[in-house]
Amino acid sequence: MRRTERFPVEGANSLWHIYKTVPFWKVMRNFIIIQAGRYTPFLTVKNWMYRVFLNMSVGEKTSFALMVMPDIMFPEKISVGANTIIGYNTTILAHEYLIKEYRLGPVVIGDNVLIGANTTILPGVEIGDEAVVSAGTLVHKDVPAGAFVGGNPMKIIYTKEEMDERRNADSFYTSE
């Protein structure tokens, strides 16, 4: 189960209540910063912008590829560990607006994580240290540390133990 806080709404769908849930000027500021960050080729500048202007927790040597889209309304709920790669055109959501409610939840991405291109990460999930998320995955639940996951719906392809075995058997990871 994802860790989200639920907020019921009355009348029109929850997106019609958007500026009761988040200030308009915050969304505008975040939009400008995120759009600049999506195209910025300098990783240190991008990380600095996300830390300073969006209040995201971003670890050292983390890389956000071109076109990554952090949550525009609640980026401060996103935490990314050190030496992690977020692949091209990935979307990281900390909110979801539904018909009768909206939900908010933190997204925690560990250290040394690889997120493949075109992945969508839903609110309220944790991705453990050294996990690998294959391209095009919908991350709708927690990813255990060291696991290799993929697909829609997301499934565990290899556990940490299976990944360790593969690495030990693969000459690429062993020194000669």
Side-chain angles (χ1 to χ4, degrees):
M1 178 64 88
R2 292 186 286 135
R3 288 166 293 288
T4 57
E5 192 173 356
R6 303 168 83 145
F7 300 91
V9 297
E10 305 240 344
N13 71 67
S14 65
L15 200 50
W16 280 94
H17 299 267
I18 188 172
Y19 297 118
K20 294 176 188 172
T21 64
V22 60
F24 171 80
W25 293 111
K26 177 185 176 188
V27 175
M28 285 300 299
R29 183 198 66 193
N30 291 354
F31 174 81
I32 292 165
I33 293 160
I34 289 168
Q35 288 304 314
R38 291 182 81 190
Y39 293 98
T40 298
F42 307 107
L43 299 175
T44 55
V45 172
K46 189 180 302 199
N47 289 352
W48 175 80
M49 288 170 51
Y50 290 171
R51 287 182 193 117
V52 171
F53 298 115
L54 300 180
N55 202 25
M56 287 174 55
S57 175
V58 178
E60 291 299 314
K61 304 298 183 198
T62 283
S63 302
F64 289 87
L66 183 70
M67 301 302 289
V68 170
M69 184 69 184
D71 192 283
I72 197 167
M73 295 175 202
F74 301 97
E76 67 277 5
K77 293 186 175 290
I78 299 170
S79 173
V80 182
N83 200 42
T84 288
I85 297 174
I86 310 292
Y88 175 84
N89 206 36
T90 290
T91 301
I92 307 170
L93 296 172
H95 78 276
E96 54 190 356
Y97 285 87
L98 308 171
I99 301 296
K100 302 249 183 234
E101 69 181 9
Y102 66 96
R103 299 176 191 163
L104 304 177
V107 173
V108 179
I109 301 170
D111 296 333
N112 301 306
V113 172
L114 173 61
I115 309 273
N118 294 306
T119 292
T120 299
I121 302 170
L122 295 182
V125 299
E126 290 186 18
I127 300 174
D129 293 344
E130 299 183 3
V132 176
V133 178
S134 73
T137 298
L138 175 64
V139 181
H140 68 287
K141 59 185 176 181
D142 290 349
V143 176
F148 176 51
V149 300
N152 183 4
M154 182 191 83
K155 295 180 182 169
I156 294 177
I157 297 169
Y158 297 112
T159 64
K160 177 187 183 327
E161 294 74 25
E162 291 169 330
M163 285 296 289
D164 289 343
E165 283 178 31
R166 292 177 63 83
R167 285 187 182 116
N168 289 336
D170 190 340
S171 63
F172 178 77
Y173 291 105
T174 59
S175 60
E176 295 184 20

